[in-house]
Amino acid sequence: MTKPLVDISNLTVGAETDSGRRVKIIKGVSFTVDPGEIVALIGESGSGKTTIALTLMGYARPGCSITGGKVCVGERDVVSMSEKDRQKLRGTDVAYVPQSAAAAFDPSQRLIDQVIEVSDIHKLMPRSEARAKAVDLFRALALPDPEHIGDGYPHQVSGGQLQRLSAAMALIGGPQVVIFDEPTTALDVTTQIEVLRAFKSVMRKGGMAGVYVSHDLAVVAQIADRIIVLKDGVIQEQGTTEEILHNAQHPYTRELLSAFQPAVFASLDSTAKKDDRKKGPVLEVSNIYAGYGSTGRDGLPSALVLKDVSCKLERGQNLGVIGESGSGKSTLARVMAGLLPHARGWVSFDGRELAPQANARSKEELRRMQIVFQLADTALNPSRSIADIVGRPLTFYHGLKGANRENRVIELLDMVRLPKGLLHRLPRELSGGQKQRVNLARALAANPDVILCDEITSALDTVVAAAVMDLLKDLQKELNLSYVFISHDLSTVRSICDQVMVMQSGEMVELLSNSQLPDGARHPYSKLLFASVPQLDTGWLDGLPEDIAGMGSPTENAHDARLRANS
Amino acid sequence: MSGQIPLLVVSRLGVTFLTLLIVSFVVFGATLLLPGDVVEILLGQAATPEAVAGLREAMHLDSPALVRYGQWLFGLLQGDLGVSYANNMPVADMVAGRLANTLRLAAATTIIAVPIALLLGITTAMYRGSLYDRVITTIVVSIVSVPEFLIATLAVLVFAVWLRWLPALSFTTDLSSFGQLLKAFAMPVITLSFVIAAQMIRMTRAAMIDALNMSYVEMAILKGASKTRVVLRHALPNSIGPIANAIALSLSYLLGGVIIVETIFNYPGVAKLMVDSVATRDLPLIQSCAMIFCVGFLTLTTVADIIAIVSNPRLRT
């Protein structure tokens, strides 16, 4: 048996909370990584997976510190090493590929200088040689124009390219172990495929060991040899990828797996509501043009986002809007809600046309359509109590005050399955899932007919997100709601929507009914989008056709150019 | 995108000139609102109604305010600051010497205060939370909260009265040798440095901490970069914009805000000239001084903004 390359035993990491209390966030973790092996650390946010991975470099984020155990890389223990020796190890023996390459690149320096900085710091090779090596890596990672891409600045290349550049940055020092910290989480699914492929082939060729940190089992299934499941800083289960996927023992692993398989869609559009249908769609938008920037001579904004978009939301049904970042999904929600007035076209609610601006709409019109934003953290006023946040629309729309208002708030919290003990808490004292429920309760307070859900589960962990989806379905049954459900994630949209609109570059590409998902897609872009969703199957990535990116049009580059224009 | 920087710089300069125009209008308007009548003050005992009317006409004070504004502005554009009401000397001559003094004091203070402030600001950010950081931060906060006349008075008490190292007054006509120059400048420069460095340290520290919290700094650490390298190569280049602005704001204080220091040390600078001219209702002089301060302030902030624009790689190439 070969000696493991990385040997972590009994690792504990402590952190100091804001109040100065010391807590253990990693509670005695042990595992090994063999040479050439890729081990995945999987778990939800707060499970300690990144913290563990970073200890391989002897690094703990500010406020944290390694309090015990051993982390051996090769022969040496990084825990007992001096900071100087750790600096020597970083970038050469152990390298790091960050979660968000967009943030991890220094905006003020040329890409090539940052990619070869490791060689510069550790004096590994002359500059020209480092440059040549970087260009080789760019080529191996399938980056366009490998000779010159490094001469640009980080803002000039796309997110997927940056992520591959960050891999080149990690590999330049010829490391024995590479830490991948959720390297594809911030990417669109179609880009994710290319990045994963590039990573996989480079790692295979170099015979390097890797620690792959992720929350996404399907992504990990493509690249890892072994999976370690973490929760609350403790290893729950570990085994080969096949074992974990097909024969998970621990209940938590099973929960993760089941959260990944969305509940089967059951249309709520039952016979009881058939007569509602005759009244026509509850919300309809027609031939909408909208965007940002100054209005040009043709009456259209300079940065046009939505081009001729039309869709209908039937009463008691749900309309899904799916597309990648920059496709105009959120803009559509903002147009519906009147937050962004459209330049052309019309929005009608219950058969009556709505004014483009929210402030020109009547209180009743506003009440009947509510919006829930993606990030509860920014949507909830941090200095208001939950009672205030949920109570405000009650006063505004229904004139409720005092005890009546409080009782209604408690009812609403109960509806979103929150205990009334949270009433006087502040948003920051709640977990991510709880905050999103408060966000939803605030929308429900208005007693709306339609709720626009803008990526409301995207920032949540899989298990929590699944619970929120179940809640949405229950609420729909109880309150006869209709949702416009915006997401980049096919499986969530599929689990709740009767109809799904696929958007690309601000245009509607295709409208599909739930039963047509995902195989009934006709348009090449929808096909590409659906085919790009990772499957819980170790052979999925390798089984994809080589030219998958070529399936959709316009090409990635046009899409990237738009992303840049937005940022 | 290559044309972006020149365009941004030109438009920033345009904003500066527009601001200056508005400021000139406000300055002119504000001096009109000053209580008291220059003619009556000038004539003193001899202020008979006829004499007042005659002098007013002679000084063109009877024409409408807008016309006088136009004439004044036109003069300014040609470099003519007008003639002092109080002693009939051209304002330009009166200001020139004083302005040189003020600039000299400002330059000396800048040379001392800026490097010290940058060094302390950057190092406290690097070692934030350490004893060193806490000591420096506490001292800086105390200095910010102490009014400068107190610092100046203490400086006089310590260096001039007890130690007898330095003269209490800076105004000496004989500044021939370098030693004398140093002595004359020492106390005003120390006092001013304390005041402006404290602000700059705080702002630099804050800007650096922002930069040090960025992911790319963590990335650099994980590449094995030393602390110094992380700061000099990654954090500092990205916080030049805010630091330049903090420095510009502090330095602008050296032009107009030094009146207390100039008074205490009897230093003949522009600020003191302006206060004296208020006493005599010498409108052209007041207006000129005010405009000089505004020009100085606007120049500094414009330069800082241009540095921020040029140092932003998103606008390059």
Side-chain angles (χ1 to χ4, degrees):
Chain A
M1 215 179 114
T2 49
K3 196 174 161 18
L5 181 62
V6 177
D7 189 351
I8 294 181
S9 55
N10 252 327
L11 174 73
T12 54
V13 176
E16 196 165 323
T17 61
D18 291 339
S19 54
R21 216 157 44 87
R22 291 206 63 88
V23 289
K24 258 190 192 175
I25 52 173
I26 304 298
K27 303 154 186 159
V29 161
S30 310
F31 67 92
T32 59
V33 181
D34 287 332
E37 184 189 35
I38 298 182
V39 172
L41 297 177
I42 193 155
E44 313 208 312
S45 47
S47 61
K49 47 193 194 304
T50 300
T51 310
I52 294 173
L54 287 174
T55 60
L56 259 69
M57 308 180 94
Y59 180 78
R61 293 232 158 103
C64 302
S65 55
I66 302 174
T67 48
K70 274 185 172 182
V71 179
C72 293
V73 177
E75 298 295 314
R76 297 174 302 164
D77 176 19
V78 293
V79 176
S80 55
M81 231 179 237
S82 74
E83 186 63 23
K84 263 249 147 62
D85 287 336
R86 286 183 196 151
Q87 282 179 5
K88 278 185 205 143
L89 173 108
R90 291 174 189 156
T92 53
D93 292 332
V94 189
Y96 178 74
V97 178
Q99 171 164 20
S100 164
F105 273 98
D106 180 341
S108 69
Q109 284 190 43
R110 288 185 193 279
L111 292 162
I112 188 76
D113 293 330
Q114 303 190 53
V115 169
I116 63 170
E117 191 178 6
V118 164
S119 140
D120 212 19
I121 292 169
H122 302 285
K123 313 251 178 319
L124 298 176
M125 55 190 114
R127 238 188 106 78
S128 55
E129 202 178 307
R131 256 193 97 98
K133 187 171 180 191
V135 171
D136 284 346
L137 282 168
F138 295 164
R139 203 167 283 130
L141 287 160
L143 280 160
D145 194 11
E147 301 283 341
H148 303 107
I149 191 168
D151 296 330
Y153 286 92
H155 67 277
Q156 293 169 318
V157 301
S158 73
Q161 290 168 355
L162 268 183
Q163 206 66 53
R164 277 175 280 173
L165 284 161
S166 73
M169 183 157 81
L171 298 174
I172 195 91
Q176 297 171 285
V177 193
V178 183
I179 300 168
F180 293 91
D181 186 4
E182 304 238 20
T184 63
T185 306
L187 303 177
D188 282 322
V189 277
T190 49
T191 328
Q192 173 170 279
I193 290 184
E194 292 159 43
V195 174
L196 273 179
R197 255 193 195 145
F199 284 176
K200 199 171 175 177
S201 84
V202 169
M203 295 294 285
R204 240 184 226 160
K205 265 182 217 153
M208 280 170 277
V211 172
Y212 198 101
V213 173
S214 179
H215 69 280
D216 190 339
L217 265 172
V219 166
V220 158
Q222 310 312 316
I223 199 159
D225 302 309
R226 222 145 41 84
I227 294 179
I228 294 173
V229 182
L230 284 159
K231 192 184 187 209
D232 302 326
V234 179
I235 292 181
Q236 307 294 324
E237 182 168 10
Q238 52 176 314
T240 65
T241 305
E242 293 288 343
E243 278 168 16
I244 296 286
L245 292 190
H246 302 300
N247 194 18
Q249 300 299 317
H250 198 279
Y252 179 70
T253 318
R254 291 204 192 136
E255 199 183 338
L256 273 182
L257 284 164
S258 69
F260 195 85
Q261 305 283 356
V264 187
F265 171 76
S267 178
L268 294 162
D269 197 25
S270 55
T271 43
K273 291 178 208 141
K274 278 271 148 60
D275 7 314
D276 283 352
R277 262 307 179 76
K278 294 182 190 116
K279 289 192 219 154
V282 60
L283 176 68
E284 186 171 5
V285 302
S286 177
N287 306 95
I288 289 288
Y289 285 81
Y292 302 90
S294 53
T295 311
R297 209 171 293 159
D298 53 355
L300 294 175
S302 55
L304 195 63
V305 179
L306 293 179
K307 284 157 246 164
D308 200 20
V309 175
S310 306
C311 61
K312 275 184 213 167
L313 174 64
E314 300 289 346
R315 218 171 295 269
Q317 289 206 351
N318 301 321
L319 173 70
V321 181
I322 189 164
E324 306 200 314
S325 48
S327 62
K329 319 182 285 289
S330 294
T331 308
L332 181 62
R334 290 169 56 84
V335 166
M336 287 172 171
L339 296 172
L340 177 76
H342 48 267
R344 279 193 209 155
W346 48 264
V347 179
S348 82
F349 194 90
D350 222 353
R352 264 182 312 172
E353 188 173 343
L354 293 175
Q357 301 94 341
N359 56 15
R361 295 181 184 175
S362 74
K363 206 181 215 185
E364 183 63 11
E365 285 168 343
L366 292 174
R367 181 190 68 74
R368 296 181 64 185
M369 177 161 48
Q370 294 288 311
I371 186 163
V372 182
F373 292 104
Q374 174 175 8
L375 296 171
D377 281 315
T378 51
L380 303 179
N381 185 338
S383 59
R384 292 271 163 194
S385 70
I386 303 306
D388 267 358
I389 290 171
V390 180
R392 228 188 98 76
L394 290 174
T395 311
F396 181 77
Y397 289 117
H398 308 295
L400 289 183
K401 287 198 177 91
N404 285 338
R405 182 171 118 158
E406 181 154 330
N407 288 335
R408 179 70 184 142
V409 171
I410 294 171
E411 268 176 51
L412 286 164
L413 289 183
D414 188 50
M415 255 186 230
V416 296
R417 321 275 187 268
L418 287 176
K420 68 175 185 182
L422 298 182
L423 216 50
H424 301 292
R425 301 272 193 89
L426 293 176
R428 66 161 180 275
E429 299 170 274
L430 272 53
S431 72
Q434 286 177 325
K435 275 183 269 194
Q436 201 55 279
R437 282 164 196 260
V438 171
N439 208 1
L440 197 59
R442 177 170 63 177
L444 291 173
N447 247 342
D449 297 335
V450 172
I451 298 184
L452 310 175
C453 304
D454 186 1
E455 299 261 17
I456 59 171
T457 58
S458 308
L460 303 176
D461 285 319
T462 8
V463 174
V464 182
V468 169
M469 293 307 291
D470 287 341
L471 173 66
L472 284 177
K473 287 177 203 164
D474 291 349
L475 288 172
Q476 180 158 38
K477 270 180 224 151
E478 288 163 33
L479 304 170
N480 195 16
L481 293 164
S482 306
Y483 299 121
V484 173
F485 196 88
I486 291 166
S487 178
H488 67 277
D489 181 18
L490 179 66
S491 55
T492 33
V493 170
R494 201 179 158 187
S495 73
I496 196 166
C497 295
D498 303 80
Q499 289 212 301
V500 174
M501 175 163 88
V502 182
M503 287 188 73
Q504 185 196 20
S505 319
E507 287 172 85
M508 188 183 88
V509 165
E510 199 166 12
L511 185 69
L512 295 159
S513 72
N514 191 287
S515 56
Q516 290 172 292
L517 292 174
D519 301 324
R522 292 270 171 83
H523 192 278
Y525 178 74
S526 323
K527 284 186 183 171
L528 166 67
L529 193 64
F530 297 161
S532 304
V533 179
Q535 303 296 315
L536 267 184
D537 168 7
T538 47
W540 171 76
L541 183 66
D542 297 327
L544 285 175
E546 217 28 69
D547 61 336
I548 184 160
M551 281 168 60
S553 60
T555 58
E556 193 209 356
N557 288 340
H559 173 69
D560 292 336
R562 206 178 45 256
L563 269 185
R564 273 202 297 286
N566 287 349
S567 59
Chain B
M1 292 213 292
S2 57
Q4 263 200 29
I5 288 197
L7 194 73
L8 281 170
V9 169
V10 167
S11 67
R12 181 65 189 81
L13 287 173
V15 169
T16 302
F17 284 110
L18 189 68
T19 316
L20 207 53
L21 191 70
I22 296 170
V23 162
S24 73
F25 191 77
V26 172
V27 164
F28 192 86
T31 45
L32 284 186
L33 296 177
L34 279 181
D37 182 358
V38 61
V39 175
E40 284 175 18
I41 291 175
L42 280 180
L43 290 174
Q45 296 272 318
T48 61
E50 297 79 30
V52 167
L55 187 59
R56 192 165 278 159
E57 201 184 327
M59 291 171 75
H60 303 294
L61 286 177
D62 52 347
S63 31
L66 264 179
V67 174
R68 278 186 285 148
Y69 171 68
Q71 288 167 343
W72 173 69
L73 193 66
F74 190 66
L76 274 187
L77 290 178
Q78 292 174 314
D80 175 14
L81 299 183
V83 176
S84 162
Y85 288 169
N87 51 14
N88 258 335
M89 273 169 66
V91 171
D93 293 351
M94 295 175 67
V95 169
R98 296 293 195 102
L99 185 61
N101 281 343
T102 296
L103 289 180
R104 216 173 285 144
L105 183 64
T109 311
T110 306
I111 289 168
I112 291 177
V114 171
I116 290 180
L118 285 181
L119 188 74
L120 290 178
I122 292 169
T123 49
T124 48
M126 274 170 78
Y127 301 101
R128 82 192 130 178
S130 67
L131 184 68
Y132 167 76
D133 175 34
R134 275 177 285 164
V135 168
I136 298 285
T137 310
T138 314
I139 294 175
V140 164
V141 171
S142 353
I143 290 174
V144 168
S145 28
V146 174
E148 56 190 299
F149 65 83
L150 194 62
I151 298 177
T153 315
L154 286 175
V156 169
L157 211 62
V158 173
F159 294 111
V161 179
W162 291 347
L163 299 173
R164 293 176 187 274
W165 287 353
L166 301 167
L169 301 183
S170 299
F171 180 56
T172 43
T173 40
D174 178 29
L175 288 177
S176 47
S177 78
F178 184 69
Q180 277 169 322
L181 193 78
L182 213 60
K183 274 190 173 176
F185 268 31
M187 276 203 292
V189 167
I190 289 171
T191 311
L192 285 174
S193 294
F194 265 101
V195 177
I196 67 163
Q199 282 294 355
M200 283 191 284
I201 291 169
R202 283 180 66 79
M203 304 288 278
T204 307
R205 180 175 177 274
M208 280 301 286
I209 283 179
D210 275 350
L212 285 171
N213 280 334
M214 303 302 284
S215 295
Y216 53 76
V217 165
E218 182 173 74
M219 189 66 229
I221 294 171
L222 294 178
K223 285 184 197 170
S226 64
K227 215 159 193 167
T228 327
R229 186 185 171 100
V230 167
V231 167
L232 295 183
R233 287 287 296 260
H234 295 286
L236 196 56
N238 284 293
S239 43
I240 280 182
I243 291 179
N245 259 305
I247 293 178
L249 274 179
S250 289
L251 293 188
S252 65
Y253 176 82
L254 290 179
L255 286 175
V258 292
I259 177 63
I260 292 168
V261 170
E262 286 186 3
T263 309
I264 289 180
F265 298 108
N266 199 22
Y267 186 88
V270 184
K272 203 160 142 46
L273 180 68
M274 183 177 182
V275 173
D276 293 343
S277 62
V278 171
T280 53
R281 303 293 184 280
D282 197 342
L283 296 190
L285 196 51
I286 298 172
Q287 288 159 354
S288 300
C289 291
M291 285 309 288
I292 286 171
F293 297 147
C294 294
V295 168
F297 181 81
L298 283 171
T299 312
L300 283 165
T301 45
T302 307
V303 168
D305 279 354
I306 289 175
I307 289 176
I309 291 171
V310 174
S311 72
N312 184 348
R314 281 163 199 274
L315 304 176
R316 238 181 273 153
T317 52

